Amino acid sequence: MNIKEKLIILKTKLKTCQNKQAKIYDLNGKVDEFLNWYKIGQERNEMRNFLEKMAVWYELRYPDYEVNKLISLTLKDDNNYDLLNNNPYLKNSLPNYDWPNFYNTKAFLNSLSESEKKYFAKPIYPKIVYWNRLTSTAHLSLTPSGYVIDSELMTTVNPYIKDEFLIGKHLKDVIKIFKRQGVCFPLNNELEKAVNYINKMEYQKQEMLNCVMYRLIERDKEKYGPRRAFLFAKEFHLNLDIPMIYGINLNDMGLSIFIKEYLKEGGKLNLNCLVNDNFTTMPLKEILEKSLLKTSQNLEKVIHL
């Protein structure tokens, strides 16, 4: 094999590696993956539109100047505009209101259509689940959150497990108890079906919120997007690592402030973050050191002007 052939193989391997890295960090791809899991056709489009709608709401709730107040992007913020208190139309109509609190999550949810509100509805367990509706009357009565309030004839499934023993236990634990006893569950039994449905709905809501976070990053990737996504992740209890991974711009004079906010929330200094468009990564500790050095150098320049 000559040198040219070796270089071609090396270049191919490098391109494959870059493509894999690109796929791992492709936020739009993650949104599409969720939508493909969710539905096809009209319902899929409705969900995509809703993701965008929620991202736009959060941008309106936290416009650039509000984000800059909370997690500075610059060394100084000269923008003191306020959507409410500097609005001539509302000048004498409102007391001093804080815009992000005024346009809060509850206000947003209340503005949604009934079909959109269902995306946030807490899934509830059925009142009764049968062991095998076709061949048995053995069943459990459940609370909306899945705890057993009554058990009927479940001893016919396993004589060693008494009905009264199951009362007060969560349906997930009941399933584990029967499986530990080696009980074979009937196909499409209502116990597992109920748990699977709840898990699916919880996953759907979690991934929906994750996708809104991804869209917030992508809509303004170079500047405020990652910071806005960080605020969103804090509010909705999402993974704070994600906005930090995508929030590295070494020319960002307020980067060290952003990193410190992340660390204050329990972030990791060894987190590998993206630093350029080639999908290369660098540990956050090293990025912070570079950012602090650059900030101090720029402050020095300002002082000497």
Side-chain angles (χ1 to χ4, degrees):
M1 187 183 293
N2 58 38
I3 294 175
K4 186 178 179 181
E5 288 171 331
K6 287 181 179 178
L7 285 173
I8 291 171
I9 291 171
L10 185 62
K11 187 177 179 181
T12 303
K13 286 182 178 178
L14 181 61
K15 190 174 181 181
T16 302
C17 184
Q18 287 176 338
N19 288 338
K20 284 181 180 177
Q21 285 289 87
K23 189 174 182 181
I24 290 169
Y25 292 108
D26 179 15
L27 292 179
N28 287 326
K30 292 179 188 294
V31 173
D32 286 335
E33 189 178 329
F34 167 67
L35 290 170
N36 290 337
W37 170 88
Y38 177 68
K39 292 283 183 185
I40 58 171
Q42 184 62 27
E43 290 183 350
R44 183 183 190 277
N45 293 333
E46 288 170 0
M47 175 59 83
R48 182 183 284 281
N49 291 338
F50 181 74
L51 298 177
E52 210 64 24
K53 180 177 183 175
M54 195 168 184
V56 170
W57 157 66
Y58 218 73
E59 286 179 358
L60 291 172
R61 183 183 177 192
Y62 288 101
D64 293 353
Y65 70 87
E66 287 288 353
V67 175
N68 205 38
K69 285 179 188 176
L70 298 168
I71 313 172
S72 181
L73 186 73
T74 59
L75 293 175
K76 185 181 178 183
D77 177 24
D78 295 321
N79 189 346
N80 294 316
Y81 185 75
D82 187 295
L83 282 170
L84 283 177
N85 298 307
N86 290 324
N87 188 329
Y89 181 73
L90 300 172
K91 191 76 175 175
N92 300 314
S93 306
L94 292 170
N96 252 358
Y97 277 164
D98 177 65
W99 172 251
N101 285 330
F102 180 82
Y103 199 20
N104 58 37
T105 303
K106 188 175 180 180
F108 171 71
L109 295 178
N110 286 339
S111 73
L112 298 178
S113 66
E114 290 305 312
S115 61
E116 290 172 329
K117 284 177 182 176
K118 289 177 183 176
Y119 295 143
F120 290 91
K122 186 176 180 180
I124 61 173
Y125 283 83
K127 291 180 179 179
I128 297 177
V129 287
Y130 283 86
W131 175 256
N132 190 335
R133 191 180 283 269
L134 295 175
T135 62
S136 169
T137 55
H139 66 272
L140 300 170
S141 298
L142 306 173
T143 66
S145 54
Y147 287 91
V148 178
I149 53 177
D150 191 25
S151 177
E152 294 286 339
L153 301 173
M154 291 301 286
T155 51
T156 61
V157 176
N158 187 326
Y160 298 103
I161 300 174
K162 303 299 181 186
D163 281 317
E164 55 268 24
F165 173 73
L166 299 177
I167 294 174
K169 291 181 170 53
H170 195 276
L171 181 59
K172 290 180 181 179
D173 295 321
V174 171
I175 291 171
K176 288 177 185 176
I177 290 167
F178 277 95
K179 287 191 173 181
R180 279 200 300 265
Q181 291 289 324
V183 175
C184 184
F185 281 67
L187 188 66
N188 294 324
N189 67 87
E190 293 183 4
L191 282 72
E192 289 181 309
K193 190 176 179 181
V195 169
N196 290 338
Y197 169 76
I198 297 295
N199 288 342
K200 180 183 176 182
M201 290 298 101
E202 288 175 347
Y203 171 82
Q204 177 181 305
K205 183 179 177 183
Q206 183 74 15
E207 284 306 299
M208 178 185 75
L209 293 172
N210 280 336
C211 286
V212 174
M213 177 174 62
Y214 302 152
R215 292 302 302 137
L216 286 169
I217 295 170
E218 284 288 357
R219 287 171 64 86
D220 191 6
K221 203 168 186 177
E222 295 300 317
K223 291 187 176 181
Y224 293 97
R227 284 166 167 78
R228 192 174 284 115
F230 180 78
L231 296 173
F232 186 84
K234 278 210 309 181
E235 180 170 356
F236 290 95
H237 310 291
L238 306 176
N239 186 354
L240 296 177
D241 294 351
I242 303 297
M244 193 73 262
I245 288 171
Y246 291 88
I248 303 303
N249 179 350
L250 295 178
N251 294 318
D252 176 359
M253 296 308 303
L255 181 57
S256 60
I257 296 171
F258 186 17
I259 294 172
K260 287 174 183 176
E261 282 295 315
Y262 163 75
L263 294 174
K264 192 168 73 176
E265 297 294 328
K268 305 182 284 285
L269 268 174
N270 63 348
L271 181 73
N272 283 320
C273 300
L274 293 172
V275 290
N276 57 39
D277 292 334
N278 293 324
F279 297 101
T280 56
T281 60
M282 186 185 295
L284 193 60
K285 184 178 180 181
E286 190 176 333
I287 293 168
L288 180 58
E289 289 168 356
K290 287 179 181 291
S291 177
L292 289 171
L293 179 63
K294 190 160 190 173
T295 302
S296 63
Q297 287 172 345
N298 278 276
L299 280 171
E300 235 176 88
K301 287 179 186 177
V302 172
I303 290 167
H304 289 298
L305 283 178

